[in-house]
Amino acid sequence: MANFIYSRTTEKDKQIFYLVSQDREYYLFTQKYRRGVKEYFHNKVLLRDALDVSKSRRDTALIRTKTKFPIYIRYIEKEYGITVLESTMKKQSKTRNNSCGRYGLINDSCDYAVA
């Protein structure tokens, strides 16, 4: 399932950014209105394109906005328990969990008989 980022412009010259993931909409942040940023994000933009700074057309406002996204997306991932970024998916696949803690004993029972 694809993840998207888009913005809405409010009447007070503010832009509000949203993340659409798993058919849910998450609020990311609000910033001052910039015309280049509005033109880029007024339609839904794929997450990988939104994070790619090389596609910013040398617009400094767009570059600054794109560098904010990973910070806010990581917060959304922690707050709602979802995985959006590829780096988070890789980290989750590397960790091992078992019944006695993260890297504890492999056996199901953690009790020992002491003589």
Side-chain angles (χ1 to χ4, degrees):
M1 178 159 278
N3 298 315
F4 299 98
I5 291 181
Y6 72 96
S7 71
R8 289 185 189 157
T9 305
T10 62
E11 58 196 50
K12 295 182 180 180
D13 294 333
K14 299 283 183 182
Q15 287 178 312
I16 303 172
F17 290 89
Y18 295 95
L19 168 71
V20 178
S21 177
Q22 302 168 358
D23 296 329
R24 289 194 60 195
E25 183 176 277
Y26 301 97
Y27 167 80
L28 290 175
F29 60 90
T30 303
Q31 74 175 18
K32 188 177 175 181
Y33 175 83
R34 298 287 182 203
R35 188 179 71 199
V37 176
K38 181 198 181 291
E39 290 173 1
Y40 190 84
F41 287 106
H42 75 282
N43 291 330
K44 290 182 178 178
V45 178
L46 286 172
L47 182 64
R48 62 180 154 84
D49 294 335
L51 296 175
D52 190 6
V53 179
S54 66
K55 295 183 180 181
S56 61
R57 302 176 281 185
R58 296 184 183 179
D59 185 359
T60 56
L62 191 56
I63 291 171
R64 279 185 269 130
T65 303
K66 286 185 172 196
T67 56
K68 290 181 187 179
F69 288 132
I71 299 164
Y72 288 100
I73 291 173
R74 282 190 207 107
Y75 174 77
I76 295 292
E77 288 178 333
K78 286 181 183 179
E79 187 71 22
Y80 295 103
I82 62 172
T83 55
V84 179
L85 297 174
E86 291 178 15
S87 60
T88 308
M89 291 179 199
K90 287 179 184 178
K91 283 181 185 178
Q92 287 183 351
S93 68
K94 286 183 180 180
T95 58
R96 300 183 317 185
N97 289 322
N98 57 27
S99 63
C100 296
R102 186 169 178 190
Y103 296 106
L105 302 171
I106 296 173
N107 297 340
D108 289 337
S109 66
C110 295
D111 298 328
Y112 292 100
V114 180

